[in-house]
Structure formats: structure tokens, C-alpha cells
């Protein structure tokens, strides 16, 4: 056999091998395993990258969504692909019960899964010409808990400012229907502590550094003008 034909023969054999491998995907067990390899997907940003200009700039939004959030999804999928028993569980279910996640991937689910859940929520909490203050039941609950919206805002701003390094500040609801303002480090989510996040601000530097550099206070002040309180109220009603 001349070298060229030999190479072609090897190539054909390799293709036949690939065909056999693909063929086994018709085995139902393999199909599940193949699908489980990438169960989590990056949700599209629900508005244009520049929708929140000039408060949150388009370049930050694009990198934040397309690079940072995408990386959390990729790394989460890599981790869960090693644990077929977790197939079919939502990211919220995994984060609510981290101790049930195999230790080998628990940190990855906490960090990358937390990043995926936190950012998926964060995009929904923002809108062009947002801000103002909540109405209805949520407004009453905030007044009841904090005394006034202004006091809530002070506490939320304080939580966002004092979070050392990377993390989030949240308005949460616990199982007893009590509101709280709290901070979490890194990509930790209140879900893991049994509380439902209603509103959250990402205070990682990647969320604001291009436009605000070290001025986190200016970023936090701007955030109040892009909050979608309808979504926050809806989460409060459902929780
Ligand atoms: Mn972020």
C-alpha cells in the first residue's frame, strides 16, 4: 500500500470508529450522559448591551455577560459532567443543598454555579429607566422591616460598600417571611443559607471597574437608577 492510500485507509478506519461511537449514543443511557455534559446554558441578556448607558456602560455589560457569566456556565458544566447522578437538578436546587453535592465538585458548584445563578438573576433585576422605589406589598414590607425606604437604602448601600473584596449585597426573604439586608463573599448565594434573594448587586470589580474604577460608591448610587422593582416585587410575591 503506498503511503497516501495507507493514510486514507487509516482515516477511513478512524471515521468508522467515530461512527460506532456516535452509534452508541442511540443507547438511551448514553443519550442522557451526552445531554448531561452541558445542562446549563447562558441566558441571553434581556436587553441590549447599551440599554443601561450611561449608568452601566455597554462594554462592561458585554464583558460581564459574554465573558464572566459565560465562564461560570462553562466551568459549572465541566464540573457536573463528572457527576451523572446530578443530572436534571436545577442550579437553585444544587445551591440550596450544597452538602448533598459530591465533595469533588462542591466548591465548583458553589463558585461557578453560584456565579451562574447570581448573574442570571442580576440581569433580570435591571432595566432602562428603572429605579424609583417599590410599590404595593413589597413597599409595605420594606417600611415594616426597616422603617422607611430610605433606611433600607442606607443599609443596602452599607452592605454593598463594606463587602470586602468580591461579593454581593442582597435584600432577602427568609422562611419566616422576614426581610433582611446581607452580604455574601465571592459567588455565595443566600439560597445556600435558606433565604430567597429578592434584589442583589454585584460588587465584584468586574461589574464596574471600566467605568467607575475604585469608585464603588458611585456604581452603587447608579445601580438604584436601573433597578427593575417590578421584578423584585414579583419575586417577593412568589416567595
Ligand atoms: Mn459579576
Amino acid at each position: 500500500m503506498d503511503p497516501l492510500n495507507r493514510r486514507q485507509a487509516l482515516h477511513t478506519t478512524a471515521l468508522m470508529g467515530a461512527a460506532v461511537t456516535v452509534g452508541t449514543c442511540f443507547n438511551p443511557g448514553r443519550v442522557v450522559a451526552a445531554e448531561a455534559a452541558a445542562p446549563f446554558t447562558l441566558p441571553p441578556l434581556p436587553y441590549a448591551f447599551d440599554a443601561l448607558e450611561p449608568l452601566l456602560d455597554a462594554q462592561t455589560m458585554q464583558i460581564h455577560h459574554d465573558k464572566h457569566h459565560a465562564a461560570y456556565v462553562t466551568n459549572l458544566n465541566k464540573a457536573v459532567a463528572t457527576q451523572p447522578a446530578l443530572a436534571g437538578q436545577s442550579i437553585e436546587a444544587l445551591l440550596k443543598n450544597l452538602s448533598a453535592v459530591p465533595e469533588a465538585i462542591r466548591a465548583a458548584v458553589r463558585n461557578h454555579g453560584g456565579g451562574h445563578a447570581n448573574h442570571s438573576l442580576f440581569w433580570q433585576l435591571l432595566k432602562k429607566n428603572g429605579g424609583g422605589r417599590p410599590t404595593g406589598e413589597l413597599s409595605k414590607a420594606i417600611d415594616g422591616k426597616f422603617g422607611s425606604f430610605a433606611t433600607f437604602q442606607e443599609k443596602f448601600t452599607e452592605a454593598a460598600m463594606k463587602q470586602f473584596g468580591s461579593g454581593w449585597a442582597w435584600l432577602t426573604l427568609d422562611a419566616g417571611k422576614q426581610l433582611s439586608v446581607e452580604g455574601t463573599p465571592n459567588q455565595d448565594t443566600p439560597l445556600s443559607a435558606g433565604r430567597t434573594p429578592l434584589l442583589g448587586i454585584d460588587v465584584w470589580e468586574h461589574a464596574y471597574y471600566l467605568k467607575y474604577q475604585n469608585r464603588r460608591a458611585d456604581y452603587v448610587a447608579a445601580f438604584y437608577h436601573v433597578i427593575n422593582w417590578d421584578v423584585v416585587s414579583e419575586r417577593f410575591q412568589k416567595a
Side-chain angles (χ1 to χ4, degrees), residues 64 68 72 119 168 187 202 204 206-207:
H64 199 175
H68 289 277
Y72 295 126
H119 288 83
W168 293 72
Q187 293 297 353
D202 185 346
W204 283 57
H206 70 223

Side-chain angles (χ1 to χ4, degrees), residues 72-96:
Y72 295 126
V73 173
T74 299
N75 289 317
L76 172 63
N77 281 328
K78 274 185 199 162
V80 297
T82 66
Q83 304 288 335
L86 297 179
Q89 287 207 50
S90 70
I91 189 56
E92 288 82 9
L94 293 171
L95 292 165
K96 280 179 184 173

Side-chain angles (χ1 to χ4, degrees), residues 95-235:
L95 292 165
K96 280 179 184 173
N97 196 5
L98 275 174
S99 61
V101 173
E103 198 176 354
I105 65 159
R106 195 175 300 149
V109 170
R110 180 176 175 176
N111 294 331
H112 302 295
H116 176 42
N118 291 342
H119 288 83
S120 297
L121 171 59
F122 186 61
W123 312 129
Q124 295 172 39
L125 297 171
L126 310 177
K127 74 166 184 177
K128 188 181 183 66
N129 300 323
R133 45 169 301 171
T135 55
E137 293 301 312
L138 177 59
S139 176
K140 283 183 207 163
I142 286 175
D143 288 348
K145 174 69 184 186
F146 303 104
S148 68
F149 180 73
T151 308
F152 152 73
Q153 207 171 352
E154 276 171 30
K155 289 188 183 302
F156 189 86
T157 299
E158 186 189 0
M161 291 304 299
K162 81 177 185 191
Q163 182 59 49
F164 184 75
S166 298
W168 293 72
W170 305 96
L171 173 66
T172 62
L173 195 67
D174 71 13
K177 306 296 172 199
Q178 286 293 308
L179 291 172
S180 297
V181 165
E182 60 187 288
T184 58
N186 305 313
Q187 293 297 353
D188 286 0
T189 160
L191 289 171
S192 302
R195 291 185 288 278
T196 302
L198 302 180
L199 174 68
I201 181 171
D202 185 346
V203 294
W204 283 57
E205 284 185 343
H206 70 223
Y208 64 87
Y209 205 86
L210 288 178
K211 181 176 176 72
Y212 294 99
Q213 293 85 48
N214 61 318
R215 304 187 308 279
R216 188 190 285 191
D218 291 353
Y219 161 68
V220 175
F223 173 78
Y224 288 109
H225 297 285
V226 291
I227 295 174
N228 187 340
W229 282 109
D230 292 340
V231 169
V232 183
S233 291
E234 200 177 299
R235 295 179 61 78

Side-chain angles (χ1 to χ4, degrees), residues 1-13:
M1 193 181 283
D2 68 57
L4 185 62
N5 282 345
R6 179 175 153 74
R7 202 181 306 143
Q8 280 173 338
L10 286 171
H11 183 60
T12 304
T13 306

